[in-house]
Amino acid sequence: MHWSRDAWPINAIPYGTLIAGISVIALSLSLTLTNYKEKAVTFLAFILSSYGLIITESRGVWLGFIFALTVIFVVFITTKKIKITWRSVVIAIVLIGGVSIISKPLISQRLSQTHQEYSDIKSGDLNTSIGLRLQMWQSAPMLIEHHELLGQGNQYLISLDNLYHQVRISKSLYEAQPPHFHNQYVDYMVKKGIIGLILLLCLFILPLRLLKNASLLQRYITITLVSLFAVASLTDVPFNHGQTIFMYIFWLGCFTTTSNNEHVDHD
């Protein structure tokens, strides 16, 4: 439709996070299902949702997605419980290659933009998308000071104003009045303190602690979703958005229950 990301009716970054979640779930299902038609349909869902993620041009989510795919690949080759055929490999290569060719202009454009922003930062210009994020992260230690335990909540904006009047942050950051810090860990530390950060880490750690007696499907989905959200949280705040935090908890709860039931039946 030739819309810019700013014209979308939904923020492209949380939308990209949701699409990436759907993609890794589809891949997990494709790797564990035994029916060939079901494997084909879920793998096609993986391919199409991956292309949908590319369209969002969300670089931080791309990074989390690549990390999640790397994790699922490592788990796949270490479990040694799944057999694949040459036909499946050939089809997968053709589909992935096709999506790569179609997506090349988008990816190249985004990489060129990233390279330009990196050059601007090296020359001292921090008024770019990445540059403003760096300024937010640099201001965090000053905002955390004296509020380490519980954070400042929304009062951090007052502290940000004070830092500007003390000439400790730039005018561009002051004018941006960021609603969050484009980093879930930093954002929770500033607003909710150490206690909030610990609770956030529990959202990543607790699902992994349930994997001792888990089925293979549960392992794939849990590990990849946790990996995706943990890395995506480095450049965005998926647990600040109602859609993404709800789907994260829903997906894990839904597939954990399903996988455990399947595991018990199998035993």
Side-chain angles (χ1 to χ4, degrees):
M1 297 177 71
H2 305 290
W3 287 358
S4 67
R5 294 167 77 243
D6 296 333
W8 287 23
I10 183 175
N11 188 302
I13 299 177
Y15 178 72
T17 306
L18 292 176
I19 290 292
I22 292 172
S23 185
V24 296
I25 289 174
L27 180 60
S28 300
L29 289 167
S30 181
L31 291 174
T32 54
L33 289 170
T34 55
N35 182 279
Y36 179 77
K37 290 184 178 180
E38 292 176 346
K39 290 176 72 72
V41 169
T42 50
F43 187 77
L44 181 61
F46 161 70
I47 293 295
L48 293 176
S49 53
S50 297
Y51 181 67
L53 171 61
I54 293 172
I55 293 175
T56 68
E57 300 183 25
S58 302
R59 292 170 293 192
V61 185
W62 286 1
L63 182 62
F65 182 65
I66 293 171
F67 183 77
L69 292 183
T70 302
V71 169
I72 200 172
F73 175 75
V74 171
V75 175
F76 177 80
I77 63 176
T78 54
T79 53
K80 299 179 181 179
K81 294 182 180 180
I82 300 175
K83 295 181 180 180
I84 54 177
T85 64
W86 281 108
R87 182 174 64 171
S88 300
V89 173
V90 171
I91 293 174
I93 291 174
V94 170
L95 289 174
I96 293 173
V99 170
S100 299
I101 293 173
I102 296 173
S103 307
K104 184 178 179 181
L106 280 173
I107 296 175
S108 298
Q109 174 187 346
R110 201 59 168 155
L111 290 177
S112 298
Q113 181 181 348
T114 303
H115 182 267
Q116 181 60 50
E117 288 190 47
Y118 176 73
S119 299
D120 293 339
I121 291 171
K122 286 188 66 177
S123 64
D125 181 9
L126 295 177
N127 294 323
T128 61
S129 176
I130 298 177
L132 282 172
R133 284 169 167 78
L134 290 175
Q135 291 187 65
M136 293 176 197
W137 303 341
Q138 290 171 351
S139 70
M142 294 180 282
L143 295 170
I144 293 170
E145 190 176 2
H146 306 306
H147 301 277
E148 292 86 356
L149 187 60
L150 296 175
Q152 293 203 62
N154 291 330
Q155 297 300 312
Y156 77 94
L157 288 171
I158 297 176
S159 298
L160 205 64
D161 292 346
N162 293 334
L163 290 176
Y164 171 69
H165 294 303
Q166 296 170 11
V167 198
R168 300 177 68 183
I169 63 172
S170 69
K171 182 179 180 180
S172 59
L173 179 58
Y174 168 73
E175 291 178 343
Q177 293 289 293
H180 57 75
F181 288 79
H182 281 280
N183 182 305
Q184 193 74 74
Y185 309 99
V186 172
D187 194 71
Y188 265 50
M189 190 64 189
V190 171
K191 297 178 182 178
K192 307 176 189 298
I194 295 175
I195 292 178
L197 181 61
I198 292 174
L199 293 175
L200 170 65
L201 295 177
C202 287
L203 288 174
F204 298 131
I205 297 171
L206 291 180
L208 298 177
R209 292 184 60 84
L210 300 174
L211 295 181
K212 183 178 180 180
N213 298 315
S215 69
L216 195 59
L217 175 60
Q218 182 186 3
R219 288 180 182 273
Y220 277 20
I221 290 178
T222 301
I223 292 173
T224 52
L225 281 179
V226 169
S227 300
L228 169 66
F229 275 74
V231 176
S233 292
L234 293 172
T235 54
D236 190 44
V237 285
F239 294 100
N240 286 25
H241 305 297
Q243 309 100 317
T244 43
I245 188 172
F246 170 77
M247 294 309 295
Y248 176 80
I249 295 173
F250 174 78
W251 282 333
L252 289 178
C254 179
F255 284 104
T256 295
T257 303
T258 302
S259 298
N260 277 334
N261 289 338
E262 291 175 353
H263 186 67
V264 171
D265 293 341
H266 177 73
D267 290 345

